[in-house]
């Protein structure tokens, strides 16, 4: 907030959304603004359709009187689109501004087909999902995308992704925004003044980051240091500290799949001995295939584990021990309250292996208050995180002010 007496409409919206001040009186007290100024700034939010009046709150005065009218963020004024890409599969959804999934679709999308084809197909998925959910393209305020590679959050471009050939440095934001417009005819009439249509904003982040963000916000909001490890075709970690994603200086934080563990296996990144080369779903699938079991991906291993395949379970436990050995260092460094295991291998066998080595190698001080758990949201975690990323960006105080001005309110 800019300071008492200087709070903008965006600052007031933030206070209401966070539940810190939900009546006009509470907003006056929190900001130092006069009653008239609070009313003027709230009026902008009402005209934009971002706020609504709720039920009356408690009567604060011992003398009685009329109850205060509460203020609520109106999550019905727009929707968000989100997609989560894996190497051979993707999910997409329409979500409310508070994270409820209204329509969802999953299907085959091969990341190696390249960004132009994959993002073009996603545009078609979004068009179908909007129709299914009963929403118009012009109701979409933004799009969030999770990808299986490191992302520069400033540009939305992936940076040297080991398992995304052809995507390095590609303009994902621009292509996905165009694909959405082309497939939905969004904005073809221009704006209200007859000017050119405004592109739908697109935010891109690493899949493990967004899974961690979705899981932390929905199930562990009070956890100030949260780590999620996704073990599928590759291995990556998402870290949420103080309610925000920790990305490092250029999006490379959490790339634990390429920590060297002393093995001789060749990794897809071109190096030898990476954790992902010996403990990912892809690595387990290769070892199963070598022994005559039909498996070519982490999802195949997941299916074998679900069917109780003994060799798959043994290899998953061994992979879990490898990952647990690395996570002992991660836990010692970050001291999280929750360590969540997610992805294709996130079952009993793998989790048992993780716990064996983690508690053996980490100091008791580091694990005394640590919960080691599996995903609550499952395959929806990346979608929920991607949707939340868009909402938090678009309704942050400074950005909200910019959007209000653009709306002319």
């Amino acid at each position: 907030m800019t300071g008492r007496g200087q709070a903008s409409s965006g600052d007031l919206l933030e206070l209401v959304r966070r539940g810190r001040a939900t009546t006009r009186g509470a907003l006056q007290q929190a900001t130092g603004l006069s009653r008239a100024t609070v009313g003027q700034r709230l009026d902008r939010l009402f005209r934009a359709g971002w706020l609504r009046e709720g039920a009356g709150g408690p009567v604060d005065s011992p003398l009685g009187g009329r109850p205060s009218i509460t203020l609520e963020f109106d999550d019905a004024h727009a929707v968000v689109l989100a997609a989560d890409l894996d190497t051979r599969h993707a999910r997409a959804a329409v979500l409310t501004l508070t994270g409820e999934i209204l329509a969802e679709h999953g299907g085959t999308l091969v990341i190696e087909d390249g960004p132009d084809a994959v993002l073009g197909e996603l545009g078609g998925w979004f068009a179908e999902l909007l129709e299914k959910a009963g929403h118009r393209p012009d109701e979409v305020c933004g799009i969030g995308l999770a990808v299986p590679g490191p992302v520069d959050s400033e540009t939305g471009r992936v940076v040297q992704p080991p398992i995304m050939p052809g995507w390095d440095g590609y303009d994902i934001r621009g292509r996905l925004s165009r694909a959405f417009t082309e497939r939905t005819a969004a904005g073809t009439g221009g704006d209200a003044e007859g000017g050119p249509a405004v592109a739908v904003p697109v935010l891109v982040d690493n899949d493990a980051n967004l899974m961690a963000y979705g899981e932390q916000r929905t199930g562990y909001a009070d956890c100030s240091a949260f780590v999620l490890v996704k073990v599928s075709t590759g291995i990556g970690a998402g870290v949420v500290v103080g309610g925000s994603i920790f990305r490092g200086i250029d999006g490379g934080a959490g790339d634990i799949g390429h920590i060297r563990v002393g093995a001789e296996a060749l990794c897809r990144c071109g190096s030898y001995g990476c954790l992902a080369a010996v403990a990912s779903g892809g690595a387990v699938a290769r070892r199963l295939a070598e022994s005559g079991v039909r498996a070519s991906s982490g999802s195949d291993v997941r299916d074998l584990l679900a069917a109780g395949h003994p060799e798959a379970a043994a290899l998953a436990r061994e992979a879990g021990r490898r990952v647990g050995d690395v996570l002992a260092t991660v836990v010692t460094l970050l001291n999280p309250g929750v360590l969540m295991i997610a992805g294709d291998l996130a079952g009993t066998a793998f989790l048992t292996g993780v716990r064996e080595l983690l508690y053996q190698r980490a100091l008791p001080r580091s694990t005394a208050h640590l919960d080691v758990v599996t995903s609550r949201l499952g395959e929806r975690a990346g979608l929920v995180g991607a949707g939340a990323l868009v909402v938090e960006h678009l309704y942050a105080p400074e950005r909200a002010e910019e959007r209000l001005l653009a709306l002319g309110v």
Side-chain angles (χ1 to χ4, degrees):
M1 191 179 297
T2 53
R4 290 179 63 85
Q6 300 178 8
S8 66
S9 294
D11 290 317
L12 299 192
L13 179 67
E14 181 81 353
L15 289 169
V16 173
R17 288 184 61 230
R18 303 298 182 198
R20 296 172 186 156
T22 57
T23 65
R24 288 170 172 80
L27 289 170
Q28 287 178 244
Q29 186 174 13
T31 63
L33 295 174
S34 69
R35 180 178 179 180
T37 302
V38 166
Q40 291 169 356
R41 295 184 181 172
L42 287 178
D43 182 59
R44 298 178 69 204
L45 299 172
F46 281 116
R47 282 187 285 146
W50 296 359
L51 278 189
R52 65 188 174 207
E53 291 186 341
V59 178
D60 296 329
S61 171
L63 301 177
R66 298 177 60 186
S68 301
I69 299 298
T70 60
L71 303 170
E72 300 173 349
F73 180 58
D74 189 343
D75 69 339
H77 71 269
V79 293
V80 175
L81 295 173
D84 184 4
L85 297 180
D86 209 330
T87 52
R88 303 190 65 82
H89 187 271
R91 303 189 74 83
V94 181
L95 299 92
T96 68
L97 298 182
T98 49
E100 178 188 354
I101 292 180
L102 303 176
E104 184 179 6
H105 174 72
T108 299
L109 268 185
V110 181
I111 206 90
E112 291 185 352
D113 287 345
D116 188 63
V118 169
L119 299 175
E121 184 69 15
L122 270 184
W125 286 17
F126 285 150
E128 294 172 4
L129 284 168
L130 280 172
E131 185 174 353
K132 181 178 178 181
H135 283 275
R136 303 184 310 274
D138 62 4
E139 294 179 275
V140 176
C141 65
I143 299 172
L145 179 66
V147 298
V151 177
D152 182 335
S153 60
E154 293 297 317
T155 65
R157 298 171 188 250
V158 292
V159 182
Q160 300 177 2
I163 58 175
M164 300 178 69
W167 291 71
D168 186 20
Y170 186 87
D171 181 16
I172 295 175
R173 289 177 177 173
R175 175 66 180 111
L176 187 53
S177 182
R178 290 194 303 274
F180 168 73
T181 301
E182 291 163 1
R183 299 300 289 270
T184 63
T188 52
D191 61 23
E193 302 299 323
V198 177
V200 176
V202 176
L203 275 72
V204 186
D205 210 329
N206 171 261
D207 55 357
N209 283 350
L210 293 180
M211 290 173 69
Y213 196 46
E215 295 277 9
Q216 189 270 339
R217 287 172 59 87
T218 57
Y220 301 92
D222 294 333
C223 181
S224 60
F226 179 97
V227 176
L228 178 144
V229 178
K230 179 186 178 185
V231 187
S232 292
T233 300
I235 300 175
V239 180
V240 180
V241 176
S244 299
I245 298 171
F246 178 76
R247 299 182 176 90
I249 60 171
D250 63 1
D255 199 5
I256 65 170
H258 300 286
I259 291 175
R260 304 294 176 80
V261 294
E264 294 301 319
L266 177 64
C267 182
R268 294 183 68 172
C269 73
S271 298
Y272 287 88
C274 294
L275 179 64
V278 295
S280 66
V284 172
R286 284 193 298 274
R287 291 189 63 182
L288 286 169
E290 288 168 1
S291 64
V293 179
R294 291 189 61 183
S296 61
S297 66
S299 58
D300 291 336
V301 178
R302 178 192 61 206
D303 295 340
L304 289 168
L305 291 171
H309 193 283
E311 187 174 356
L315 290 174
R317 183 168 179 171
E318 180 184 334
R321 288 171 60 85
R322 293 267 198 175
V323 173
D325 196 8
V326 170
L327 290 179
T329 301
V330 172
V331 166
T332 301
L333 178 66
L334 296 177
N335 189 212
V338 175
L339 172 62
M340 178 175 284
I341 307 299
D344 291 332
L345 298 194
T348 301
F350 185 86
L351 193 63
T352 298
V354 168
R355 285 176 167 150
E356 285 175 357
L357 262 289
L358 173 61
Y359 289 107
Q360 177 183 326
R361 298 293 172 85
L363 292 173
R365 172 69 182 82
S366 301
T367 58
H369 303 288
L370 175 69
D371 290 330
V372 183
V373 300
T374 54
S375 172
R376 289 187 175 188
L377 296 175
E379 293 183 334
R380 291 180 163 181
L383 296 175
V384 172
L389 184 74
V390 171
V391 173
E392 292 306 316
H393 171 73
L394 292 180
Y395 295 93
E398 290 187 8
R399 180 66 177 137
E401 277 298 306
E402 294 172 3
R403 295 176 64 215
L404 288 169
L405 290 172
L407 288 170
V409 297

